Amino acid sequence: MSKEWHKSEEFQRCCREFHDACARQPCGKNVDEAKEVLELIKPYIAEKMAGQGIFELKRFEHRGSTYEGVKIAKSPTDQDLEFDVMFVMTGGRDLECHDMGLDGFAKLKLKSNAKPRELFQKTKEKDTSYISAIKTKNLFYSHLDGCKLKEFKEDFKGTDITCNVVECKPNEFREDYKGTGITCKLFYNGPAIKVVVYRDQDKFFTLDLAPHFDLNGEPGKEEMYVSKAKKKGSNDIQWLRSYSLDEKRKFDGMDRDNGCRKMVLRTMKAFVKSRSELSWLTSQHLKTALFRTIDAQQSWKQEEFSQRFMDTLGTLEECLDKRTMPSYFQPGTDLFENYKEETMEATKCRSCRLSNNGPLMTKLLSSSISKWKPANSVSQIV
């Protein structure tokens, strides 16, 4: 529930200054050029993967904060450009979901009439019809590694993009694509394979490429699963149900009424990042809190920005108090399932203290602003 100080002129000004300084979207020439390079890389990868005969691309899907309009720059001089792309593999309609857990993980099993595919034969668990998420991801990595990207050469505004594979140890950078202006390094990153692209030896952008199955296949009714392990280093066969495309559709046109919903989420992300006691909260937690606040609050005018920011923090606090956060798109899944009781209690107490202490909240926001350069320093990066 909003308090009077949430809508005070001083607090509104402080929230807006914090957003403009610490929660600005990446923008400018760099963003446009990064997207151009990305569009050169994608079809090359698709062709080379298909040529190896295992991974057939059904389609690429863009997802994540960059495409949702809620990405924030890392610092005034680092826009932290990042593109999340789904590599949707052919064969999803040959699979069915089994044993969905509260944490959103499930087993994928071959249907009795599934088409024989080499991918399934290489990733199936021994003496079962279950497809292993870990085996699929490891095989995907090895085939991406074998795409012979050193042969990739395109002209991008006069700059050759070339690649040269080098050897490294497991779990370290696996490739080094050296060119006159563009270089790339490839390594594991959770459920995705991260390609870090450098321009003139400076980090340009990252591409997170993750293998997915779509069990439905109908546009707008996708049933996506990604090969993410429950715990780092585990040998789990289970797949995580992904709602990234549902989220992207919800963000699409969200603020067509000139509302402040995306501003609130960007501000939440920047604020959480600035507080060590809140840093365990993920983007998924913050998005869920926003979606539930949107359902509860009809008005999201620009002049109500500070109120809606505190309302969303309040929604998060309520979930922490109950020790549960149902997934917005699948309420049977608890996003707090694998977190410790004491962690949630400490975070709830801290959040409660902030939401009831206007001077402290204002002080924390102002102290974060002082660590950044003026807001326009981000937009001037090209």
Side-chain angles (χ1 to χ4, degrees), residues 17-18 20-22 24 75-77 368-378 380:
E17 288 176 353
F18 177 83
D20 291 347
C22 308
R24 295 294 295 269
S75 74
T77 56
S368 295
I369 295 170
S370 67
K371 298 176 183 177
W372 283 61
K373 294 180 181 180
N376 61 6
S377 63
V378 173
Q380 288 176 352

Side-chain angles (χ1 to χ4, degrees), residues 148-187:
K148 297 183 178 179
L149 291 173
K150 63 182 179 180
E151 298 175 2
F152 174 50
K153 186 174 182 180
E154 295 283 350
D155 186 69
F156 175 66
K157 298 186 182 301
T159 300
D160 285 337
I161 302 174
T162 59
C163 306
N164 180 36
V165 179
V166 298
E167 295 182 358
C168 9
K169 297 178 182 179
N171 300 322
E172 295 181 355
F173 288 134
R174 288 289 303 279
E175 301 203 13
D176 187 4
Y177 311 141
K178 299 179 179 179
T180 57
I182 299 290
T183 59
C184 306
K185 292 182 179 179
L186 174 69
F187 60 102

Side-chain angles (χ1 to χ4, degrees), residues 78-343:
D78 183 359
Q79 299 215 67
D80 192 27
L81 298 180
E82 182 180 67
F83 301 96
D84 296 315
V85 178
M86 296 177 171
F87 187 105
V88 184
M89 302 171 286
T90 299
R93 301 189 75 171
D94 291 322
L95 303 170
E96 55 190 13
C97 169
H98 282 256
D99 304 326
M100 173 68 76
L102 285 176
D103 53 7
F105 283 88
K107 296 177 182 178
L108 297 186
K109 186 177 182 180
L110 285 169
K111 294 179 179 178
S112 58
N113 61 345
K115 295 179 180 179
R117 299 180 189 276
E118 190 174 356
L119 172 60
F120 295 153
Q121 296 304 313
K122 289 183 175 293
T123 58
K124 191 170 62 171
E125 283 293 289
K126 186 177 181 181
D127 300 326
T128 76
S129 295
Y130 293 112
I131 301 301
S132 168
I134 299 303
K135 286 183 179 180
T136 302
K137 180 184 173 181
N138 290 341
L139 188 63
F140 183 81
Y141 191 110
S142 67
H143 278 243
L144 191 60
D145 189 46
C147 280
K148 297 183 178 179
L149 291 173
K150 63 182 179 180
E151 298 175 2
F152 174 50
K153 186 174 182 180
E154 295 283 350
D155 186 69
F156 175 66
K157 298 186 182 301
T159 300
D160 285 337
I161 302 174
T162 59
C163 306
N164 180 36
V165 179
V166 298
E167 295 182 358
C168 9
K169 297 178 182 179
N171 300 322
E172 295 181 355
F173 288 134
R174 288 289 303 279
E175 301 203 13
D176 187 4
Y177 311 141
K178 299 179 179 179
T180 57
I182 299 290
T183 59
C184 306
K185 292 182 179 179
L186 174 69
F187 60 102
Y188 275 109
N189 182 46
I193 309 302
K194 183 181 286 290
V195 180
V196 183
V197 181
Y198 297 87
R199 181 168 60 181
D200 297 327
Q201 299 183 341
D202 292 325
K203 182 181 175 182
F204 188 12
F205 68 90
T206 62
L207 162 64
D208 278 3
L209 190 66
H212 285 69
F213 278 121
D214 179 5
L215 272 58
N216 187 304
E218 294 184 31
K221 298 181 180 180
E222 300 90 353
E223 186 180 347
M224 292 289 192
Y225 289 85
V226 60
S227 56
K228 180 177 181 178
K230 278 190 175 185
K231 294 181 180 179
K232 187 176 181 180
S234 69
N235 188 29
D236 206 311
I237 71 169
Q238 293 181 301
W239 296 72
L240 179 65
R241 178 71 165 90
S242 171
Y243 295 93
S244 295
L245 296 183
D246 303 88
E247 290 176 359
K248 190 171 75 168
R249 280 189 288 269
K250 190 166 181 65
F251 279 110
D252 186 31
M254 176 181 281
D255 284 324
R256 60 170 57 94
D257 59 355
N258 194 33
C260 62
R261 301 168 188 83
K262 292 184 181 182
M263 285 179 61
V264 166
L265 181 56
R266 290 195 297 269
T267 303
M268 287 284 290
K269 292 171 75 170
F271 181 68
V272 163
K273 186 173 70 171
S274 72
R275 311 306 309 166
S276 60
E277 66 274 17
L278 306 178
S279 60
W280 65 274
L281 293 165
T282 67
S283 177
Q284 191 65 51
H285 294 138
L286 302 183
K287 287 179 182 179
T288 302
L290 175 71
F291 293 160
R292 297 204 179 284
T293 308
I294 289 173
D295 290 345
Q297 297 288 346
Q298 296 299 313
S299 181
W300 289 76
K301 297 177 182 178
Q302 289 288 327
E303 55 267 29
E304 297 170 330
F305 168 55
S306 60
Q307 295 170 254
R308 298 295 87 89
F309 167 55
M310 294 304 297
D311 288 339
T312 306
L313 188 61
T315 300
L316 181 61
E317 184 184 321
E318 290 175 8
C319 292
L320 288 166
D321 188 45
K322 296 176 181 177
R323 304 294 192 270
T324 182
M325 176 177 269
S327 165
Y328 186 81
F329 295 100
Q330 187 175 358
T333 297
D334 182 8
L335 300 180
F336 286 165
E337 173 70 13
N338 296 318
Y339 293 93
K340 295 180 179 179
E341 172 84 12
E342 53 267 33
T343 298

Side-chain angles (χ1 to χ4, degrees), residues 20-81:
D20 291 347
C22 308
R24 295 294 295 269
Q25 287 181 267
C27 58
K29 184 180 177 182
N30 265 4
V31 178
D32 295 334
E33 291 186 347
K35 289 180 178 179
E36 289 186 51
V37 173
L38 177 61
E39 292 308 311
L40 293 175
I41 294 173
K42 282 163 47 183
Y44 183 86
I45 289 176
E47 179 184 351
K48 293 298 182 181
M49 291 289 274
Q52 295 180 72
I54 302 292
F55 289 94
E56 182 182 349
L57 175 72
K58 188 175 182 66
R59 66 186 185 278
F60 284 117
E61 290 279 7
H62 292 170
R63 65 185 183 96
S65 58
T66 298
Y67 297 104
E68 295 162 351
V70 293
K71 175 71 177 175
I72 61 174
K74 188 174 183 179
S75 74
T77 56
D78 183 359
Q79 299 215 67
D80 192 27
L81 298 180

